[in-house]
Amino acid sequence: MKPLNLVTYLFLFPGLCACDSASDMSPKSGKEYEIVVIMNHIAWDGISGSLIREQFSMPVPFLQQAEPSMNIKYVIPEQINDSIKYARNILIVGIDKTQYPTISFKKKTDKWSDEQVIIYLNAPDEQSLEAFLTENHNFLVDIFMHDEINRAKRKLLKTHSNTVLEMVKKYFDITLYAPADIVSYKDTTDCIWFSNNTAFGRTDLLVFSFPFENRESLSFKNLINKRDSITKIMIPGFKQGTYKTTDRNNVNYSTTTLNGKYCVIIRGLWHLHGNESIAGPFVCYARTDEPNSRIIVAEGFVYEPVSENRNYIGNMEATLQTIRFPDEQEEN
């Protein structure tokens, strides 16, 4: 490993070393988190269009500044051309009582281009469409956001950081596919901190384990205290006495299933203790590895003070969803 030359005002967390780099991730056609909406202009200018814009413009939670869930591009049906047809996310809204007696919904993938998702939402009239959109407030944005995460996961399986993959296999006997530019790391017995060490769009990954004792091991209080105690030691700031910690006024705890198993998700903001102007979003997944009586925690966090954070934190969430425990690897 070769020590990095750190620039003080850009690299806030010193101490990482760089290893061999995997190939660069090649971009797909179309823009991430962009939606093309195709519907007639009367409906678009009315309540239905307003409700659709409201869904896709909902701010992504736990970012330092308000950023929409998706960027919207509106097109009337007569303007559909090849460039529009190749967009990665398309919503086509049809309103015609002679063709659609009731509200109907259909999803198609890869119709005109690879990795494409098209949603057809049809209604007999604007009133029915308005009622549907009002009742299902997050319906459309949830579908497209979910597909963006899945695209990112598929991309990671093809092109990823071999450094991360090999290190987490060696230390924790798990698999984890991270973006290919994350190749720097600092390790201890039970924790590894990875980073892409870039000046802009800095993304870091923290993976650690601790013994499973009881249900309280996955409690909000225990997980927050555990990660803060680790980051205080592992991720000091450049100035003495500063270190990465949780902004406890901006954090959320939820549960879900991952690979059919219980999973805790913590989202929120981190900041540098001693300099709270240095901050960013994070997402953390914690799961119990029952055969080995341990908790595995993986966290992605972002530092990007100039431009949007949404895409970066979305890619980190996709990374965390690729985690496979020893008993899951063969099956997946």
Side-chain angles (χ1 to χ4, degrees):
M1 294 184 294
K2 181 181 178 182
L4 295 174
N5 294 318
L6 302 180
V7 180
T8 58
Y9 70 94
L10 293 178
F11 296 97
L12 306 170
F13 308 113
L16 293 179
C17 296
C19 262
D20 58 308
S21 174
S23 59
D24 292 336
M25 299 176 71
S26 56
K28 297 286 186 181
S29 299
K31 294 182 179 179
E32 294 178 346
Y33 297 94
E34 181 181 80
I35 176 77
V36 174
V37 180
I38 301 171
M39 62 189 296
N40 73 63
H41 69 90
I42 296 175
W44 177 252
D45 292 336
I47 297 175
S48 297
S50 177
L51 290 170
I52 289 173
R53 291 192 294 275
E54 181 181 327
Q55 280 205 32
F56 292 120
S57 298
M58 285 191 301
V60 177
F62 302 109
L63 299 184
Q64 289 175 278
Q65 60 282 326
E67 298 180 28
S69 297
M70 301 194 77
N71 297 329
I72 307 169
K73 183 176 183 179
Y74 168 64
V75 176
I76 60 175
E78 294 78 15
Q79 290 180 334
I80 297 177
N81 54 34
D82 285 346
S83 64
I84 298 299
K85 289 166 64 175
Y86 295 140
R88 60 195 287 132
N89 300 305
I90 302 177
L91 172 65
I92 301 177
V93 180
I95 304 174
D96 188 338
K97 63 182 178 181
T98 63
Q99 296 187 61
Y100 318 116
T102 60
I103 288 280
S104 63
F105 165 84
K106 182 170 65 174
K107 177 180 177 180
K108 297 194 72 172
T109 59
D110 306 333
K111 180 176 181 179
W112 290 307
S113 64
D114 292 339
E115 297 290 322
Q116 182 180 60
V117 173
I118 303 176
I119 299 298
Y120 295 88
L121 179 59
N122 300 315
D125 50 55
E126 287 189 59
Q127 291 73 25
S128 301
L129 181 59
E130 292 164 14
F132 176 83
L133 293 170
T134 301
E135 184 177 348
N136 301 276
H137 185 65
N138 299 327
F139 177 70
L140 294 172
V141 70
D142 284 349
I143 291 173
F144 286 107
M145 292 284 281
H146 177 76
D147 279 303
E148 284 289 358
I149 295 292
N150 282 339
R151 284 191 192 98
K153 287 160 62 177
R154 291 192 293 270
K155 188 175 184 179
L156 288 168
L157 292 177
K158 296 177 181 178
T159 309
H160 50 263
S161 168
N162 289 325
T163 298
V164 173
L165 189 63
E166 292 166 6
M167 292 289 289
V168 298
K169 179 65 176 177
K170 174 183 175 182
Y171 279 70
F172 304 106
D173 193 27
I174 64 173
T175 57
L176 175 62
Y177 295 93
D181 62 345
I182 298 181
V183 295
S184 299
Y185 68 87
K186 176 182 178 181
D187 60 318
T188 64
T189 303
D190 299 313
C191 180
I192 314 178
W193 165 34
F194 301 96
S195 178
N196 64 359
N197 263 333
T198 58
F200 299 98
R202 173 156 175 161
T203 51
D204 291 57
L205 183 65
L206 190 68
V207 184
F208 62 90
S209 68
F210 61 93
F212 173 75
E213 297 176 358
N214 51 47
R215 264 323 242 202
E216 283 302 304
S217 299
L218 282 172
S219 69
F220 174 75
K221 181 179 179 181
N222 188 60
L223 288 172
I224 291 294
N225 288 339
K226 183 72 69 173
R227 65 182 297 277
D228 279 353
S229 66
I230 288 174
T231 58
K232 183 176 182 179
I233 298 170
M234 281 287 284
I235 313 181
F238 206 89
K239 291 182 63 176
Q240 187 174 3
T242 61
Y243 53 86
K244 177 182 177 288
T245 191
T246 306
D247 180 348
R248 301 201 178 204
N249 294 319
N250 290 284
V251 65
N252 174 262
Y253 177 97
S254 62
T255 61
T256 186
T257 57
L258 187 63
N259 303 324
K261 298 178 182 178
Y262 185 79
C263 177
V264 169
I265 302 177
I266 300 177
R267 306 176 196 278
L269 292 174
W270 62 269
H271 65 257
L272 200 65
H273 177 78
N275 186 350
E276 295 188 7
S277 65
I278 298 172
F282 75 88
V283 56
C284 174
Y285 279 45
R287 298 177 61 203
T288 304
D289 179 14
E290 294 182 3
N292 294 295
S293 300
R294 61 180 179 169
I295 304 292
I296 295 286
V297 180
E299 172 185 321
F301 58 98
V302 175
Y303 179 68
E304 173 46 79
V306 178
S307 61
E308 293 183 339
N309 283 226
R310 177 194 62 198
N311 294 18
Y312 296 116
I313 201 67
N315 284 332
M316 295 314 300
E317 178 128 22
T319 294
L320 303 185
Q321 291 187 15
T322 68
I323 294 175
R324 296 292 182 270
F325 285 180
D327 62 335
E328 300 169 340
Q329 292 173 23
E330 183 176 348
E331 177 184 350
N332 287 281

